[in-house]
Amino acid sequence: MTRRRALLAGGGLLGLAAAGGGGYAAGTARADDPAAGVADAVPFHGPHQAGIATPAQDRLVFGAFDLTVDRAADLQELLREWTRAAELMTAGRPTGSLGHDPNLPPDDTGEAAGLPPARLTITFGFGPDLFERGGEDRLGLRARRPSALRPLPDLPGDHLEAARSGGDLCVQACSNDPQVAFHAVRNLARIGSGHVALRWMQLGFGRTSSTSRTQATPRNLFGFKDGTNNLRAEDTAGMDRFVWVGAEEPQRWFRGGTYLVARRIRMLIETWDRDRLSDQEAVFGRTKASGAPLTGTDEFDRVDLAMKGSDGVTVIPPDAHIRLASPEVHGGMKILRRGYSYTDGIDPRTGNLDAGLFFVAFQQDPEKQFVALQRKLGVGDALNEYIRHTGSALFAVPPGIRRGGFVGEGLFR
Protein backbone atom coordinates (compact mmCIF):
# COMPACT_ATOMS: atom_id res chain seq x y z
CA MET A 1 0.00 0.00 0.00
CA THR A 2 1.42 3.38 -0.94
CA ARG A 3 1.70 6.29 1.44
CA ARG A 4 -1.17 8.12 -0.29
CA ARG A 5 -3.39 5.07 -0.35
CA ALA A 6 -2.75 4.52 3.34
CA LEU A 7 -3.79 8.12 3.93
CA LEU A 8 -7.02 7.62 1.98
CA ALA A 9 -7.77 4.41 3.83
CA GLY A 10 -7.32 6.23 7.12
CA GLY A 11 -9.86 8.95 6.61
CA GLY A 12 -10.43 9.63 2.92
CA LEU A 13 -12.30 7.82 0.20
CA LEU A 14 -12.19 4.36 1.72
CA GLY A 15 -12.96 5.60 5.20
CA LEU A 16 -15.88 7.62 3.89
CA ALA A 17 -17.26 4.66 2.00
CA ALA A 18 -17.11 2.47 5.06
CA ALA A 19 -18.90 5.08 7.13
CA GLY A 20 -21.62 5.69 4.56
CA GLY A 21 -20.43 9.26 4.03
CA GLY A 22 -21.57 12.61 5.37
CA GLY A 23 -22.17 14.33 2.04
CA TYR A 24 -22.10 18.12 1.63
CA ALA A 25 -25.22 18.17 -0.52
CA ALA A 26 -27.24 15.21 0.64
CA GLY A 27 -26.31 12.63 3.22
CA THR A 28 -28.68 9.96 1.97
CA ALA A 29 -26.50 8.40 -0.72
CA ARG A 30 -24.98 4.99 -0.15
CA ALA A 31 -21.27 4.38 -0.67
CA ASP A 32 -21.93 1.79 -3.40
CA ASP A 33 -24.44 4.03 -5.16
CA PRO A 34 -23.39 7.59 -4.40
CA ALA A 35 -25.85 9.31 -6.73
CA ALA A 36 -28.94 7.52 -5.41
CA GLY A 37 -31.54 10.00 -4.22
CA VAL A 38 -29.43 13.09 -5.05
CA ALA A 39 -31.26 15.72 -7.05
CA ASP A 40 -29.41 17.49 -9.86
CA ALA A 41 -26.90 14.64 -10.21
CA VAL A 42 -25.97 13.02 -13.53
CA PRO A 43 -25.52 9.22 -13.28
CA PHE A 44 -21.81 8.38 -13.27
CA HIS A 45 -22.06 4.73 -14.40
CA GLY A 46 -23.22 3.47 -17.78
CA PRO A 47 -22.10 2.10 -21.16
CA HIS A 48 -20.45 5.44 -22.06
CA GLN A 49 -18.79 8.03 -19.85
CA ALA A 50 -20.97 10.96 -18.83
CA GLY A 51 -20.09 14.38 -20.20
CA ILE A 52 -20.28 13.38 -23.87
CA ALA A 53 -23.94 12.76 -24.75
CA THR A 54 -25.00 14.62 -21.58
CA PRO A 55 -26.71 17.94 -22.45
CA ALA A 56 -23.85 20.44 -22.23
CA GLN A 57 -23.67 22.26 -18.90
CA ASP A 58 -22.82 25.95 -18.52
CA ARG A 59 -19.24 25.69 -17.26
CA LEU A 60 -16.07 23.73 -17.99
CA VAL A 61 -12.77 23.05 -16.27
CA PHE A 62 -10.43 20.98 -18.39
CA GLY A 63 -7.13 19.63 -17.06
CA ALA A 64 -4.37 17.80 -18.95
CA PHE A 65 -1.86 15.83 -16.87
CA ASP A 66 1.58 14.33 -17.36
CA LEU A 67 2.16 10.95 -15.76
CA THR A 68 5.16 10.99 -13.40
CA VAL A 69 5.35 7.25 -12.67
CA ASP A 70 6.61 4.53 -15.00
CA ARG A 71 4.66 1.42 -14.00
CA ALA A 72 1.27 0.34 -15.34
CA ALA A 73 0.36 -0.77 -11.81
CA ASP A 74 0.81 2.81 -10.57
CA LEU A 75 -1.43 4.10 -13.36
CA GLN A 76 -4.03 1.50 -12.46
CA GLU A 77 -3.98 2.56 -8.81
CA LEU A 78 -4.38 6.20 -9.81
CA LEU A 79 -7.38 5.43 -12.03
CA ARG A 80 -9.04 3.48 -9.23
CA GLU A 81 -8.65 6.38 -6.83
CA TRP A 82 -9.77 8.97 -9.39
CA THR A 83 -12.84 6.87 -10.15
CA ARG A 84 -13.84 6.60 -6.48
CA ALA A 85 -13.41 10.35 -6.06
CA ALA A 86 -15.39 11.10 -9.24
CA GLU A 87 -18.25 8.85 -8.10
CA LEU A 88 -18.54 10.86 -4.92
CA MET A 89 -18.13 14.33 -6.40
CA THR A 90 -20.66 13.78 -9.20
CA ALA A 91 -23.12 12.85 -6.45
CA GLY A 92 -22.39 16.13 -4.66
CA ARG A 93 -20.26 14.57 -1.95
CA PRO A 94 -16.74 15.36 -0.74
CA THR A 95 -13.81 13.10 -1.51
CA GLY A 96 -13.17 12.73 2.20
CA SER A 97 -13.53 14.34 5.58
CA LEU A 98 -13.19 18.11 5.90
CA GLY A 99 -12.08 17.83 9.54
CA HIS A 100 -10.72 14.37 10.12
CA ASP A 101 -7.45 15.07 11.89
CA PRO A 102 -6.06 18.49 12.91
CA ASN A 103 -2.55 17.20 12.28
CA LEU A 104 -3.21 16.26 8.65
CA PRO A 105 -4.49 18.16 5.61
CA PRO A 106 -8.26 17.68 5.11
CA ASP A 107 -9.20 14.88 2.70
CA ASP A 108 -11.28 17.32 0.63
CA THR A 109 -10.36 20.91 -0.15
CA GLY A 110 -13.82 22.08 0.91
CA GLU A 111 -14.75 24.83 -1.55
CA ALA A 112 -17.77 22.86 -2.80
CA ALA A 113 -19.17 22.31 0.70
CA GLY A 114 -22.85 23.21 0.72
CA LEU A 115 -23.15 23.20 -3.05
CA PRO A 116 -25.25 20.71 -5.03
CA PRO A 117 -23.59 18.69 -7.83
CA ALA A 118 -25.14 21.07 -10.39
CA ARG A 119 -25.11 18.28 -13.01
CA LEU A 120 -21.36 17.72 -12.60
CA THR A 121 -19.85 15.24 -15.02
CA ILE A 122 -16.24 14.07 -14.99
CA THR A 123 -14.85 12.53 -18.17
CA PHE A 124 -11.42 10.88 -18.40
CA GLY A 125 -9.17 10.40 -21.42
CA PHE A 126 -5.80 8.83 -22.32
CA GLY A 127 -3.26 10.63 -24.55
CA PRO A 128 -1.08 8.99 -27.23
CA ASP A 129 2.10 9.30 -25.12
CA LEU A 130 0.59 7.10 -22.45
CA PHE A 131 1.07 4.17 -24.83
CA GLU A 132 4.25 5.23 -26.61
CA ARG A 133 6.62 8.16 -26.16
CA GLY A 134 9.64 8.74 -28.35
CA GLY A 135 9.31 5.20 -29.70
CA GLU A 136 9.43 3.75 -26.18
CA ASP A 137 6.79 1.44 -24.73
CA ARG A 138 7.01 3.36 -21.46
CA LEU A 139 4.35 1.42 -19.48
CA GLY A 140 4.18 -1.83 -21.44
CA LEU A 141 0.78 -0.83 -22.83
CA ARG A 142 1.69 -0.13 -26.47
CA ALA A 143 0.05 -3.31 -27.74
CA ARG A 144 -3.19 -2.17 -26.11
CA ARG A 145 -3.32 1.26 -27.77
CA PRO A 146 -6.65 2.18 -29.42
CA SER A 147 -6.20 1.90 -33.18
CA ALA A 148 -6.87 5.58 -34.04
CA LEU A 149 -4.91 7.11 -31.15
CA ARG A 150 -2.01 8.79 -32.96
CA PRO A 151 -0.65 12.30 -32.37
CA LEU A 152 -2.48 14.86 -34.44
CA PRO A 153 -0.44 15.94 -37.49
CA ASP A 154 0.62 19.51 -38.17
CA LEU A 155 -2.41 21.30 -39.53
CA PRO A 156 -2.64 24.45 -41.66
CA GLY A 157 -2.90 27.62 -39.62
CA ASP A 158 -1.53 26.12 -36.42
CA HIS A 159 0.15 28.52 -33.97
CA LEU A 160 0.43 25.95 -31.21
CA GLU A 161 2.07 26.57 -27.84
CA ALA A 162 3.64 23.53 -26.16
CA ALA A 163 2.48 24.73 -22.74
CA ARG A 164 -1.15 24.54 -23.94
CA SER A 165 -0.93 21.26 -25.84
CA GLY A 166 -0.70 17.49 -25.31
CA GLY A 167 -0.90 15.47 -22.11
CA ASP A 168 -0.88 11.84 -20.97
CA LEU A 169 -4.29 12.04 -19.30
CA CYS A 170 -7.18 14.47 -19.37
CA VAL A 171 -10.07 15.30 -17.08
CA GLN A 172 -13.06 17.22 -18.43
CA ALA A 173 -15.29 18.51 -15.61
CA CYS A 174 -18.54 20.19 -16.64
CA SER A 175 -21.16 21.62 -14.30
CA ASN A 176 -23.69 24.42 -14.04
CA ASP A 177 -21.63 25.76 -11.12
CA PRO A 178 -18.05 26.87 -11.92
CA GLN A 179 -16.85 26.24 -8.37
CA VAL A 180 -18.11 22.65 -8.44
CA ALA A 181 -16.25 22.01 -11.71
CA PHE A 182 -13.06 23.62 -10.38
CA HIS A 183 -13.30 21.62 -7.16
CA ALA A 184 -13.45 18.40 -9.16
CA VAL A 185 -10.24 18.94 -11.14
CA ARG A 186 -8.43 20.46 -8.17
CA ASN A 187 -9.17 17.45 -5.98
CA LEU A 188 -8.25 14.94 -8.67
CA ALA A 189 -4.93 16.76 -9.07
CA ARG A 190 -4.44 16.65 -5.29
CA ILE A 191 -5.28 12.95 -5.06
CA GLY A 192 -2.97 12.21 -7.99
CA SER A 193 -0.01 14.06 -6.52
CA GLY A 194 3.07 11.88 -6.88
CA HIS A 195 1.57 10.07 -9.87
CA VAL A 196 0.63 13.00 -12.15
CA ALA A 197 1.39 16.69 -12.60
CA LEU A 198 -0.90 19.22 -14.22
CA ARG A 199 0.44 20.12 -17.67
CA TRP A 200 -2.17 22.74 -18.60
CA MET A 201 -5.65 23.76 -17.56
CA GLN A 202 -8.47 25.66 -19.27
CA LEU A 203 -11.60 27.20 -17.80
CA GLY A 204 -14.63 27.71 -20.03
CA PHE A 205 -17.91 29.54 -19.72
CA GLY A 206 -20.96 29.59 -21.95
CA ARG A 207 -21.33 26.44 -24.02
CA THR A 208 -20.83 27.09 -27.73
CA SER A 209 -23.02 24.34 -29.12
CA SER A 210 -26.13 22.46 -28.13
CA THR A 211 -25.84 18.70 -27.72
CA SER A 212 -29.52 18.02 -27.06
CA ARG A 213 -32.78 18.99 -28.75
CA THR A 214 -33.82 20.42 -25.38
CA GLN A 215 -31.22 23.21 -25.72
CA ALA A 216 -31.29 26.42 -27.73
CA THR A 217 -28.33 27.21 -29.95
CA PRO A 218 -25.87 29.47 -28.06
CA ARG A 219 -23.77 32.28 -29.49
CA ASN A 220 -19.99 32.43 -29.66
CA LEU A 221 -17.87 35.46 -28.73
CA PHE A 222 -18.23 36.81 -32.28
CA GLY A 223 -21.96 37.09 -31.56
CA PHE A 224 -23.07 34.37 -34.00
CA LYS A 225 -25.11 31.28 -33.26
CA ASP A 226 -22.74 28.34 -33.36
CA GLY A 227 -23.33 24.63 -33.83
CA THR A 228 -26.84 24.80 -35.30
CA ASN A 229 -26.25 21.59 -37.23
CA ASN A 230 -24.38 19.80 -34.44
CA LEU A 231 -25.12 16.16 -33.65
CA ARG A 232 -27.67 15.74 -30.88
CA ALA A 233 -27.68 13.03 -28.20
CA GLU A 234 -31.20 12.06 -29.23
CA ASP A 235 -29.84 11.05 -32.65
CA THR A 236 -28.69 7.65 -31.44
CA ALA A 237 -28.04 6.37 -34.97
CA GLY A 238 -25.80 9.38 -35.62
CA MET A 239 -24.00 8.90 -32.30
CA ASP A 240 -23.36 5.24 -33.16
CA ARG A 241 -22.13 6.13 -36.62
CA PHE A 242 -19.95 9.15 -35.80
CA VAL A 243 -19.09 9.16 -32.07
CA TRP A 244 -18.98 5.77 -30.36
CA VAL A 245 -16.24 3.29 -31.29
CA GLY A 246 -17.88 0.02 -32.25
CA ALA A 247 -17.14 -3.59 -33.12
CA GLU A 248 -14.69 -2.54 -35.84
CA GLU A 249 -12.17 -1.58 -33.12
CA PRO A 250 -9.57 -4.37 -32.68
CA GLN A 251 -8.96 -3.32 -29.05
CA ARG A 252 -12.03 -4.86 -27.45
CA TRP A 253 -11.50 -2.97 -24.19
CA PHE A 254 -11.99 0.33 -26.04
CA ARG A 255 -15.32 -0.48 -27.71
CA GLY A 256 -17.94 1.96 -26.49
CA GLY A 257 -15.30 4.67 -26.13
CA THR A 258 -14.64 7.68 -28.33
CA TYR A 259 -11.91 10.21 -29.17
CA LEU A 260 -11.74 13.75 -27.79
CA VAL A 261 -10.03 16.54 -29.74
CA ALA A 262 -9.38 19.76 -27.81
CA ARG A 263 -8.28 22.97 -29.54
CA ARG A 264 -7.74 26.33 -27.89
CA ILE A 265 -8.79 28.81 -30.57
CA ARG A 266 -8.05 32.42 -29.80
CA MET A 267 -10.43 34.93 -31.36
CA LEU A 268 -9.01 38.28 -32.52
CA ILE A 269 -11.96 40.10 -31.06
CA GLU A 270 -10.80 43.68 -31.54
CA THR A 271 -10.22 43.12 -35.27
CA TRP A 272 -13.59 41.39 -35.63
CA ASP A 273 -15.42 44.18 -33.84
CA ARG A 274 -14.16 46.68 -36.43
CA ASP A 275 -15.47 44.65 -39.36
CA ARG A 276 -18.75 45.65 -41.05
CA LEU A 277 -21.83 43.49 -40.49
CA SER A 278 -22.15 42.35 -44.11
CA ASP A 279 -18.61 40.98 -44.09
CA GLN A 280 -19.12 39.26 -40.73
CA GLU A 281 -22.19 37.52 -42.14
CA ALA A 282 -20.32 36.54 -45.32
CA VAL A 283 -17.53 35.02 -43.19
CA PHE A 284 -19.97 32.77 -41.35
CA GLY A 285 -22.56 32.38 -44.11
CA ARG A 286 -25.30 33.17 -41.61
CA THR A 287 -27.36 36.19 -40.63
CA LYS A 288 -26.11 37.55 -37.32
CA ALA A 289 -29.47 38.48 -35.76
CA SER A 290 -31.51 35.36 -36.57
CA GLY A 291 -28.80 32.79 -37.15
CA ALA A 292 -30.46 31.79 -40.43
CA PRO A 293 -28.22 30.71 -43.32
CA LEU A 294 -27.88 33.43 -45.97
CA THR A 295 -30.06 31.24 -48.19
CA GLY A 296 -32.96 31.13 -45.68
CA THR A 297 -34.93 33.05 -43.10
CA ASP A 298 -34.92 30.71 -40.09
CA GLU A 299 -31.97 29.32 -38.13
CA PHE A 300 -32.86 25.74 -38.99
CA ASP A 301 -33.58 26.27 -42.69
CA ARG A 302 -31.60 23.95 -44.93
CA VAL A 303 -28.26 25.40 -46.00
CA ASP A 304 -28.44 25.67 -49.80
CA LEU A 305 -24.82 25.73 -50.93
CA ALA A 306 -25.78 25.86 -54.62
CA MET A 307 -28.19 28.82 -54.52
CA LYS A 308 -27.02 31.74 -56.63
CA GLY A 309 -27.95 35.40 -56.47
CA SER A 310 -28.94 37.68 -59.34
CA ASP A 311 -25.25 38.24 -60.05
CA GLY A 312 -24.77 34.53 -60.74
CA VAL A 313 -22.55 34.05 -57.70
CA THR A 314 -23.39 31.61 -54.91
CA VAL A 315 -25.18 33.36 -52.02
CA ILE A 316 -22.99 31.56 -49.51
CA PRO A 317 -19.40 32.51 -50.46
CA PRO A 318 -16.91 29.77 -51.38
CA ASP A 319 -14.84 30.53 -48.28
CA ALA A 320 -17.72 30.88 -45.81
CA HIS A 321 -17.31 28.91 -42.61
CA ILE A 322 -20.73 27.30 -42.90
CA ARG A 323 -19.83 25.92 -46.35
CA LEU A 324 -16.40 24.51 -45.51
CA ALA A 325 -17.68 22.99 -42.24
CA SER A 326 -20.72 21.43 -43.90
CA PRO A 327 -20.98 17.61 -43.94
CA GLU A 328 -21.88 17.96 -47.64
CA VAL A 329 -18.26 18.80 -48.48
CA HIS A 330 -16.87 16.12 -46.13
CA GLY A 331 -18.56 13.01 -47.47
CA GLY A 332 -21.34 13.29 -44.88
CA MET A 333 -18.92 13.13 -41.94
CA LYS A 334 -20.01 14.74 -38.65
CA ILE A 335 -18.52 15.32 -35.21
CA LEU A 336 -20.11 16.04 -31.83
CA ARG A 337 -19.00 19.51 -30.77
CA ARG A 338 -19.05 20.30 -27.04
CA GLY A 339 -16.92 23.44 -26.68
CA TYR A 340 -16.98 26.53 -24.46
CA SER A 341 -16.01 30.18 -24.67
CA TYR A 342 -13.03 31.25 -22.61
CA THR A 343 -11.30 34.42 -21.49
CA ASP A 344 -7.81 34.51 -19.99
CA GLY A 345 -7.47 38.25 -19.43
CA ILE A 346 -5.21 40.44 -21.54
CA ASP A 347 -2.38 39.62 -23.94
CA PRO A 348 0.47 41.64 -22.36
CA ARG A 349 2.19 41.97 -25.74
CA THR A 350 -0.72 43.79 -27.39
CA GLY A 351 -3.14 44.81 -24.66
CA ASN A 352 -5.88 42.93 -26.52
CA LEU A 353 -8.26 40.42 -25.00
CA ASP A 354 -7.03 36.85 -24.79
CA ALA A 355 -10.40 35.19 -25.38
CA GLY A 356 -11.95 32.70 -27.74
CA LEU A 357 -13.26 29.20 -28.12
CA PHE A 358 -12.08 26.11 -26.29
CA PHE A 359 -13.16 23.67 -28.97
CA VAL A 360 -13.97 20.15 -27.78
CA ALA A 361 -15.25 17.51 -30.20
CA PHE A 362 -15.96 13.79 -29.87
CA GLN A 363 -15.69 11.40 -32.78
CA GLN A 364 -15.11 7.82 -33.86
CA ASP A 365 -11.93 8.43 -35.87
CA PRO A 366 -10.00 11.72 -35.49
CA GLU A 367 -8.05 11.32 -38.74
CA LYS A 368 -11.15 10.80 -40.87
CA GLN A 369 -13.23 13.37 -39.03
CA PHE A 370 -11.53 16.29 -37.24
CA VAL A 371 -8.25 16.21 -39.19
CA ALA A 372 -10.00 15.99 -42.56
CA LEU A 373 -12.29 18.84 -41.57
CA GLN A 374 -9.50 21.07 -40.27
CA ARG A 375 -7.34 20.53 -43.36
CA LYS A 376 -10.06 22.22 -45.39
CA LEU A 377 -10.91 24.88 -42.82
CA GLY A 378 -7.28 25.72 -42.09
CA VAL A 379 -6.60 26.53 -45.75
CA GLY A 380 -9.76 28.11 -47.07
CA ASP A 381 -11.94 29.37 -44.21
CA ALA A 382 -12.53 33.15 -44.26
CA LEU A 383 -12.69 32.93 -40.47
CA ASN A 384 -8.93 32.28 -40.36
CA GLU A 385 -8.32 36.04 -40.57
CA TYR A 386 -9.88 36.37 -37.11
CA ILE A 387 -8.72 33.24 -35.21
CA ARG A 388 -5.54 31.47 -34.11
CA HIS A 389 -5.26 27.83 -32.98
CA THR A 390 -2.93 28.07 -29.95
CA GLY A 391 -3.47 24.72 -28.19
CA SER A 392 -4.16 21.16 -29.29
CA ALA A 393 -4.59 17.72 -27.76
CA LEU A 394 -6.07 14.33 -28.55
CA PHE A 395 -7.30 11.76 -26.04
CA ALA A 396 -8.91 8.34 -26.25
CA VAL A 397 -11.92 8.35 -23.94
CA PRO A 398 -12.54 4.83 -22.58
CA PRO A 399 -16.07 3.41 -22.43
CA GLY A 400 -18.34 3.91 -19.45
CA ILE A 401 -17.62 2.66 -15.96
CA ARG A 402 -19.48 -0.18 -14.25
CA ARG A 403 -20.38 -0.11 -10.58
CA GLY A 404 -17.40 -1.36 -8.62
CA GLY A 405 -15.10 -0.86 -11.59
CA PHE A 406 -12.79 1.96 -12.59
CA VAL A 407 -12.18 4.00 -15.70
CA GLY A 408 -10.18 2.15 -18.35
CA GLU A 409 -10.06 -1.08 -16.35
CA GLY A 410 -10.26 -3.19 -19.52
CA LEU A 411 -6.84 -1.83 -20.50
CA PHE A 412 -5.21 -3.85 -17.71
CA ARG A 413 -6.88 -7.22 -18.27
Side-chain angles (χ1 to χ4, degrees), residues 263-279:
R263 304 280 284 188
R264 185 180 186 273
I265 304 174
R266 182 174 173 185
M267 293 176 165
L268 308 181
I269 287 176
E270 289 81 0
T271 305
W272 178 261
D273 289 347
R274 291 192 291 268
D275 195 15
R276 64 185 188 278
L277 175 61
S278 60
D279 191 59

Side-chain angles (χ1 to χ4, degrees), residues 39-337:
D40 208 18
V42 176
F44 180 77
H45 305 99
H48 309 295
Q49 289 196 59
I52 303 168
T54 308
Q57 303 92 325
D58 293 335
R59 303 294 182 130
L60 162 82
V61 177
F62 193 102
F65 295 83
D66 286 333
L67 195 67
T68 57
V69 292
D70 56 7
R71 298 190 314 146
D74 292 331
L75 172 62
Q76 187 173 351
E77 178 190 345
L78 170 73
L79 295 174
R80 283 185 187 278
E81 294 182 0
W82 272 6
T83 300
R84 296 288 86 77
E87 286 174 332
L88 292 165
M89 290 190 287
T90 54
R93 300 175 64 191
T95 58
S97 170
L98 301 181
H100 174 66
D101 186 334
N103 297 311
L104 291 173
D107 296 326
D108 185 283
T109 53
E111 71 270 33
L115 299 176
R119 299 193 58 75
L120 172 68
T121 56
I122 300 174
T123 313
F124 299 97
F126 301 160
D129 282 0
L130 197 67
F131 297 87
E132 181 179 356
R133 183 173 62 188
E136 179 187 354
D137 187 5
R138 58 188 293 207
L139 298 172
L141 297 174
R142 182 163 56 192
R144 307 282 282 166
R145 177 171 52 192
S147 59
L149 184 63
R150 308 286 176 184
L152 293 176
D154 294 336
L155 292 168
D158 276 355
H159 295 75
L160 303 183
E161 302 170 20
R164 300 184 189 276
S165 301
D168 293 329
L169 299 158
C170 80
V171 175
Q172 173 195 264
C174 298
S175 172
N176 291 329
D177 187 320
Q179 189 143 317
V180 169
F182 176 81
H183 169 264
V185 176
R186 178 186 178 185
N187 276 272
L188 293 175
R190 179 184 57 80
I191 290 168
S193 178
H195 282 53
V196 288
L198 263 172
R199 180 181 178 91
W200 55 269
M201 191 170 179
Q202 184 67 57
L203 276 61
F205 67 95
R207 59 182 174 82
T208 58
S209 57
S210 49
T211 58
S212 167
R213 291 171 185 152
T214 63
Q215 297 178 314
T217 309
R219 291 181 184 270
N220 59 32
L221 295 187
F222 285 154
F224 277 76
K225 290 195 173 187
D226 207 352
T228 296
N229 295 322
N230 197 24
L231 270 174
R232 303 294 199 276
E234 294 86 351
D235 180 4
T236 55
M239 294 291 285
D240 287 341
R241 180 180 176 189
F242 298 114
V243 177
W244 307 126
V245 172
E248 74 286 350
E249 169 60 46
Q251 297 290 353
R252 295 177 65 89
W253 73 269
F254 192 62
R255 294 174 185 173
T258 184
Y259 293 92
L260 183 160
V261 171
R263 304 280 284 188
R264 185 180 186 273
I265 304 174
R266 182 174 173 185
M267 293 176 165
L268 308 181
I269 287 176
E270 289 81 0
T271 305
W272 178 261
D273 289 347
R274 291 192 291 268
D275 195 15
R276 64 185 188 278
L277 175 61
S278 60
D279 191 59
Q280 291 186 359
E281 293 183 332
V283 166
F284 273 98
R286 287 189 179 276
T287 304
K288 190 165 190 174
S290 68
L294 297 181
T295 54
T297 57
D298 181 82
E299 178 194 347
F300 293 99
D301 284 348
R302 186 179 73 85
V303 180
D304 188 345
L305 298 178
M307 180 184 288
K308 294 183 179 179
S310 57
D311 57 0
V313 177
T314 55
V315 175
I316 297 177
D319 59 354
H321 183 73
I322 194 175
R323 176 185 292 278
L324 295 178
S326 170
E328 287 184 44
V329 300
H330 294 280
M333 280 290 183
K334 297 181 179 181
I335 55 177
L336 175 68
R337 293 182 51 183

Side-chain angles (χ1 to χ4, degrees), residues 310-396:
S310 57
D311 57 0
V313 177
T314 55
V315 175
I316 297 177
D319 59 354
H321 183 73
I322 194 175
R323 176 185 292 278
L324 295 178
S326 170
E328 287 184 44
V329 300
H330 294 280
M333 280 290 183
K334 297 181 179 181
I335 55 177
L336 175 68
R337 293 182 51 183
R338 207 176 187 284
Y340 289 81
S341 297
Y342 78 85
T343 178
D344 286 337
I346 303 295
D347 183 339
R349 298 168 300 177
T350 63
N352 291 333
L353 286 170
D354 183 358
L357 166 67
F358 187 68
F359 172 95
V360 175
F362 295 93
Q363 61 241 270
Q364 200 174 70
D365 188 323
E367 180 67 26
K368 294 178 180 176
Q369 292 171 268
F370 171 76
V371 171
L373 178 67
Q374 186 54 30
R375 281 188 170 132
K376 278 193 170 65
L377 289 172
V379 170
D381 190 354
L383 197 55
N384 290 333
E385 182 179 350
Y386 304 98
I387 61 174
R388 297 287 184 272
H389 286 239
T390 60
S392 178
L394 169 68
F395 300 95

